């Protein structure tokens, strides 16, 4: 009985005192929906990005540990793209800078996004290319929900 009590106490201490992992799974669909909440956007659907199409949406190569979703406009002639990327190794700043440097607001054939912003935390990167008001509204939602986040942004030449 004494051994059982000691074992249970040890287990309780291990479970109760364990640190939370900074690499917990993030529900990227929920992150995207939170960032887009109350923002006027073109019609979109949040969809997962696979390894093959990752460079098209993010402008960087896929690496193990990356996961991403997109909430791009469903109509191709509207310049609107929102991409949420999670990374498990805490390299959010490095990834964000790479995405920001490579993002092409003219990726659509006939239209161009007016503004580009890349927002990030240690394990989350958000790329937004759209109209100025839309980018600003998504950025405001990001800043509300991720107090430790940082933002890179630029207005794009027409």
């Amino acid at each position: 009985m004494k051994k059982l009590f000691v074992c249970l106490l040890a287990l309780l201490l291990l479970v109760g005192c364990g640190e939370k992992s900074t690499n917990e799974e993030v529900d990227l669909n929920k992150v995207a929906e939170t960032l887009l909440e109350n923002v006027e956007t073109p019609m979109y659907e949040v969809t997962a990005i696979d390894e093959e199409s990752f460079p098209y949406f993010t402008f960087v190569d896929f690496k193990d540990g990356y996961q991403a979703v997109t909430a791009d406009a469903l109509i191709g002639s509207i310049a609107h793209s929102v991409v949420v990327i999670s990374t498990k190794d805490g390299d959010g700043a490095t990834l964000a800078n790479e995405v920001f440097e490579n993002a092409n607001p003219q990726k659509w054939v006939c239209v161009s996004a007016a503004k580009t912003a890349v927002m990030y935390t240690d394990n989350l990167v958000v790329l937004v290319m759209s109209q100025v008001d839309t980018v600003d509204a998504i950025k405001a939602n990001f800043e509300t929900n991720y107090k430790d986040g940082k933002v890179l942004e630029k207005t794009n030449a027409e």
Side-chain angles (χ1 to χ4, degrees):
M1 184 73 165
K2 206 175 203 180
K3 287 182 182 180
L4 179 62
F5 177 76
V6 171
C7 287
L8 287 174
L9 183 60
L11 181 62
L12 187 64
L13 287 173
L14 286 174
V15 173
C17 296
E19 289 184 25
K20 281 191 173 183
S21 170
T22 57
N23 297 333
E24 292 176 1
E25 285 293 317
V26 176
D27 185 338
L28 296 180
N29 288 6
K30 285 184 182 178
V31 171
E33 292 297 344
T34 298
L35 294 175
L36 294 166
E37 190 173 0
N38 299 318
V39 176
E40 189 173 324
T41 65
M43 220 169 38
Y44 68 88
E45 181 178 350
V46 178
T47 55
I49 298 173
D50 62 19
E51 185 176 337
E52 184 178 322
S53 58
F54 190 87
Y56 171 77
F57 289 101
T58 66
F59 304 96
V60 297
D61 292 332
F62 178 85
K63 291 183 184 173
D64 286 338
Y66 288 172
Q67 291 183 315
V69 297
T70 181
D72 282 19
L74 292 177
I75 298 172
S77 62
I78 298 175
H80 174 79
S81 180
V82 177
V83 178
V84 180
I85 309 163
S86 72
T87 175
K88 292 187 177 192
D89 54 10
D91 71 342
T94 303
L95 177 59
N97 282 297
E98 188 178 351
V99 169
F100 187 71
E101 290 298 318
N102 292 306
N104 181 2
Q106 298 174 331
K107 78 174 194 174
W108 302 272
V109 175
C110 299
V111 294
S112 177
K115 187 171 184 177
T116 299
V118 175
M119 298 152 274
Y120 64 95
T121 64
D122 288 343
N123 294 312
L124 189 70
V125 175
V126 180
L127 166 63
V128 182
M129 298 187 298
S130 193
Q131 299 307 308
V132 173
D133 292 345
T134 304
V135 174
D136 290 344
I138 294 169
K139 182 179 81 168
N141 282 349
F142 178 84
E143 290 171 334
T144 298
N145 288 284
Y146 299 94
K147 303 286 187 205
D148 64 334
K150 297 186 177 40
V151 179
L152 306 168
E153 60 186 321
K154 62 185 170 188
T155 303
N156 304 312
E158 293 290 323

